[in-house]
Amino acid sequence: MAHEIHVIALDYPPSLLNGMQSDLWYCLCALAEKNINIRLHLTDEGAHFINAVHESKYELVTYVHPNDPLSDIDDNLPMLFFGTQAYWNNRKNLDASQRSIGIRIFRNEASHHRNLADIHSLGWTKFSLTGKSSELEKIHQEISASPVSLFSTCRDDKFYIQPFVGNNIVQYTPGKGSFCIFNGNLADKDTEFAAYWLLEHVFNKIDLPLVIVGTHPSQELENAAHVRSNTCLVANPSLNEQQELIKKAQIILTPTFIAHQSGFNFSYLLALGRHLLGNTKSCINEAYRKAINIAETPEQFIELTESLFFQEQNENEKEIRQSLLCEMNKDEQGASLLIKNLL
């Protein structure tokens, strides 16, 4: 059995506060725990993150742009792609009959882009997202018919591996926090849409503080967040800064308006945060709802935000969270399945 593998993650840099990106990070950790040597292909941004949060266990191969052709692959080592785009861009130079190739699919990208199109009114953005969805559907069909293995978070797929979440423990912060927080990759259209929704429909009606935290916000969103005295935006914080903001917050808001097959990285929020408040689309796993408050309408978000803002957590909530975190951590099983089918 080979003990080395190329991991190609050019589509996005790793992060611990986003479900899709933390899936990559904790998968790397799980493979390293099994003494698998990893040649990690990342953009410069992704390599910067890896070096900032961990003494590198990986042989890094870096690229300026996500669409740059793969380099340093003059071998027949197995390859694991995170996302389909990098594989698709390089498929003509890769022979799946000569090496094991797998793709980690965190969500159905074609469906995701259709859902994004649905939340936009008629116009170029809606047209572009619809076209991208059709393109991604064709790509997925062609890959499915090839020798490439697809490792999915969908239970109905052949190689099901639930999201990698790490071995988090509840870091119980006593007392009450001083603000509400919404965080994520603000360059994602669904995340940006949810931030605007909170500003317009919830915090425009109540006088409680909201801090929007995330990477790559648009200037328009920054301006909208700073119009009111009770809302603000923290752009591109470091990982430590994000962690500290989550610990200091009283309520973590997680609304989304498109269906996520795998949802947010609730494990990290359950470990660090106080109250969580989202909607059913942001929490498709019913087991997690034992630790997450659910609202659907603006009125329900307003009511629960005003109520939770003055409530402290109790020991029972801490125990529920720790039990959930233990149930969520199946990283060792996922790593074993990858090794069995690729190496």
Side-chain angles (χ1 to χ4, degrees):
M1 180 185 78
H3 291 279
E4 291 184 88
I5 187 171
H6 291 280
V7 174
I8 298 93
L10 299 178
D11 294 348
Y12 45 82
S15 167
L16 300 184
L17 300 181
N18 174 290
M20 180 162 50
Q21 294 166 321
S22 64
D23 178 66
L24 160 64
W25 170 255
Y26 288 119
C27 177
L28 293 174
C29 294
L31 289 173
E33 283 290 320
K34 291 184 172 291
N35 298 315
I36 303 300
N37 295 321
I38 299 169
R39 298 186 186 180
L40 182 56
H41 299 250
L42 292 172
T43 60
D44 290 335
E45 182 182 7
H48 175 76
F49 176 88
I50 287 286
N51 289 327
V53 300
H54 201 285
E55 182 180 349
S56 179
K57 296 180 180 179
Y58 318 107
E59 179 184 336
L60 293 179
V61 184
T62 60
Y63 305 78
V64 174
H65 192 275
N67 292 327
D68 288 346
L70 291 179
S71 60
D72 193 30
I73 54 170
D74 54 346
D75 54 53
N76 287 322
L77 292 175
M79 306 183 82
L80 176 62
F81 288 84
F82 276 76
T84 59
Q85 196 63 54
Y87 169 75
W88 193 251
N89 292 343
N90 291 276
R91 69 192 186 285
K92 293 181 180 178
N93 297 322
L94 301 173
D95 188 348
S97 66
Q98 296 299 315
R99 74 165 82 226
S100 295
I101 298 177
I103 301 176
R104 173 56 159 170
I105 299 178
F106 193 80
R107 64 189 179 195
N108 184 319
E109 289 294 340
S111 175
H112 176 71
H113 281 73
R114 280 196 302 273
N115 290 333
L116 282 177
D118 289 342
I119 64 175
H120 285 82
S121 56
L122 291 175
W124 172 250
T125 300
K126 188 179 187 73
F127 177 78
S128 176
L129 288 168
T130 302
K132 185 65 174 178
S133 174
S134 298
E135 176 189 346
L136 289 166
E137 183 62 39
K138 292 178 182 177
I139 289 174
H140 183 78
Q141 290 175 357
E142 183 167 331
I143 293 175
S144 297
S146 75
V148 173
S149 300
L150 300 178
F151 301 97
S152 169
T153 57
C154 178
R155 292 181 181 275
D156 296 331
D157 289 342
K158 179 180 178 182
F159 294 123
Y160 163 69
I161 300 178
Q162 72 178 51
F164 290 85
V165 298
N167 186 24
N168 286 310
I169 60 171
V170 174
Q171 300 179 34
Y172 198 50
T173 305
K176 293 185 292 186
S178 54
F179 54 86
C180 305
I181 190 171
F182 174 81
N183 70 281
N185 180 357
L186 298 172
D188 286 344
K189 292 301 180 185
D190 53 326
T191 307
E192 182 184 57
F193 185 93
Y196 275 120
W197 185 87
L198 286 169
L199 289 171
E200 180 178 352
H201 296 287
V202 180
F203 288 87
N204 191 31
K205 310 292 177 62
I206 58 177
D207 191 24
L208 293 175
L210 168 67
V211 180
I212 297 171
V213 181
T215 53
H216 310 303
S218 67
Q219 188 60 56
E220 292 77 13
L221 180 58
E222 288 203 58
N223 292 341
H226 288 100
V227 164
R228 303 176 184 89
S229 61
N230 64 318
T231 62
C232 67
L233 189 149
V234 178
N236 305 311
S238 69
L239 178 63
N240 287 337
E241 290 170 334
Q242 293 181 68
Q243 291 175 339
E244 288 306 309
L245 285 167
I246 288 173
K247 291 178 183 178
K248 292 176 181 177
Q250 174 68 359
I251 304 172
I252 303 169
L253 295 152
T254 64
T256 187
F257 297 91
I258 64 173
H260 286 279
Q261 291 91 342
S262 301
F264 295 97
N265 181 16
F266 280 117
S267 63
Y268 207 71
L269 301 179
L270 289 171
L272 292 180
R274 291 183 174 89
H275 298 295
L276 270 67
L277 174 56
N279 56 5
T280 51
K281 283 187 177 179
S282 68
C283 185
I284 61 171
N285 190 323
E286 292 187 7
Y288 300 169
R289 293 179 192 167
K290 292 184 291 186
I292 299 168
N293 299 277
I294 299 294
E296 300 295 350
T297 66
E299 294 75 19
Q300 290 172 343
F301 268 91
I302 289 171
E303 180 182 357
L304 276 172
T305 299
E306 291 182 318
S307 173
L308 294 170
F309 197 78
F310 300 100
Q311 295 180 22
E312 291 192 30
Q313 288 179 291
N314 56 48
E315 286 295 326
N316 183 55
E317 290 173 312
K318 176 184 175 182
E319 292 173 3
I320 290 173
R321 288 185 176 209
Q322 193 59 66
S323 175
L324 281 173
L325 289 172
C326 291
E327 292 175 19
M328 294 164 71
N329 182 12
K330 307 294 183 184
D331 292 4
E332 193 277 335
Q333 295 178 19
S336 294
L337 185 60
L338 288 173
I339 291 169
K340 177 182 178 182
N341 288 280
L342 287 178
L343 283 77

